[in-house]
């Protein structure tokens, strides 16, 4: 399963503090970004209302949920998306699985943004021995394949919802750190920063009043694009059996549990797979739209 965002996905260079109202107006002029927002809103709403809209308990095994031969049932009037290998309603499990996938995506990506931004800003502003050590450590982390490192960490730690989020955060912060480091170094050499230092401004004031506001655009774009990455990575880990553990549902472990029925009951893989792809695509569409809307050189490309 490939990751849709990487180090080549470069957001626009920061040159001005974040203008939320203007960005939102330019973003809403982009049809694909609006489509992504609609998909995200639909998934978030369905996940939040899962206890109220799911037709059944996601872990309830029904006596009539299997054929006489013990095979899953195809989509029907009672089970809209069919049942799984244990006779559980697939629609209910997908709705509840959306909650876990979104929680991991948001929490893991948020933690990765915090770690990456902190490392990048400190290394880029202070430089010297501290900056060299931090960036060499970042290079070391980037040298490991992210998926392999995540599997190793998840195997050592006891897999759970929060452990999976922590593992994903620990392997996803490096790209943010590298980009933030480059932009912080560029900003630190600007004339207005030199003027602030001449006037006696301390490092905390410069960092919080001048450096970080100019990095907001970059962090927002990477944060949006990064959620799709974390959702895909969580699905991959769960599919490999080191992510969210049954009976808790996630889109990845739904596919993992039912992969043996891929040929005889393809809906068990098709529906959660489509959910994963749609959500990842939606966040990428919004991220691309934000990147264009935040473009300071062209005022946002139409």
């Amino acid at each position: 399963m490939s990751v849709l965002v990487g180090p080549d996905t470069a957001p626009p260079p920061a040159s001005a503090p974040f203008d939320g109202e203007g960005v939102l107006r330019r973003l809403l002029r982009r049809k694909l970004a609006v489509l992504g927002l609609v998909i995200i809103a639909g998934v978030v709403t369905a996940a939040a209302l899962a206890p109220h809209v799911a037709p059944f308990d996601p872990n309830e095994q029904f006596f009539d949920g299997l054929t006489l031969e013990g095979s899953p049932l195809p989509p029907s009037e009672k089970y809209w998306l069919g049942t799984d290998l244990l006779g559980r309603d697939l629609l209910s499990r997908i709705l509840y699985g959306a909650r876990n996938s979104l929680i991991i995506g948001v929490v893991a990506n948020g933690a990765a943004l915090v770690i990456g931004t902190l490392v990048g800003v400190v290394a880029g502003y202070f430089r010297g021995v501290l900056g060299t050590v931090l960036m060499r450590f970042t290079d070391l982390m980037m040298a490991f394949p992210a998926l392999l490192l995540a599997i190793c960490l998840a195997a050592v730690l006891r897999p759970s919802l929060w452990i999976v989020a922590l593992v994903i955060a620990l392997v996803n912060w490096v790209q943010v750190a590298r980009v933030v480091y480059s932009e912080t170094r560029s900003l630190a050499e600007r004339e207005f920063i030199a003027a602030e230092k001449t006037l006696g401004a301390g490092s905390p004031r410069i960092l919080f009043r001048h450096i970080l506001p100019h990095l907001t655009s970059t962090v927002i774009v990477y944060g949006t694009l990064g959620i799709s990455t974390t959702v895909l990575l969580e699905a991959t880990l769960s599919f490999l059996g080191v992510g969210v553990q049954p009976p808790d549902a996630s889109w990845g472990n739904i596919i993992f549990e039912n992969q043996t029925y891929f040929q005889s009951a393809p809906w068990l893989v098709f529906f959660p797979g489509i959910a994963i792809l749609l959500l990842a695509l939606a966040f990428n569409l919004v991220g691309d739209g934000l990147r264009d809307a935040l473009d300071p050189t062209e005022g946002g490309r139409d």
Side-chain angles (χ1 to χ4, degrees), residues 6-30:
D8 293 334
T9 308
S15 62
F18 179 67
D19 175 19
E21 184 178 349
V23 169
L24 180 61
R25 185 170 57 251
R26 292 192 294 271
L27 179 66
L28 293 178
R29 291 204 297 263
R30 290 161 172 78

Side-chain angles (χ1 to χ4, degrees), residues 117 121 187 206-217 219:
T117 301
V121 167
L187 286 169
I206 294 175
L207 287 173
F208 287 99
R209 293 290 299 273
H210 300 287
I211 299 293
L212 289 176
H214 285 78
L215 295 173
T216 303
S217 300
V219 173

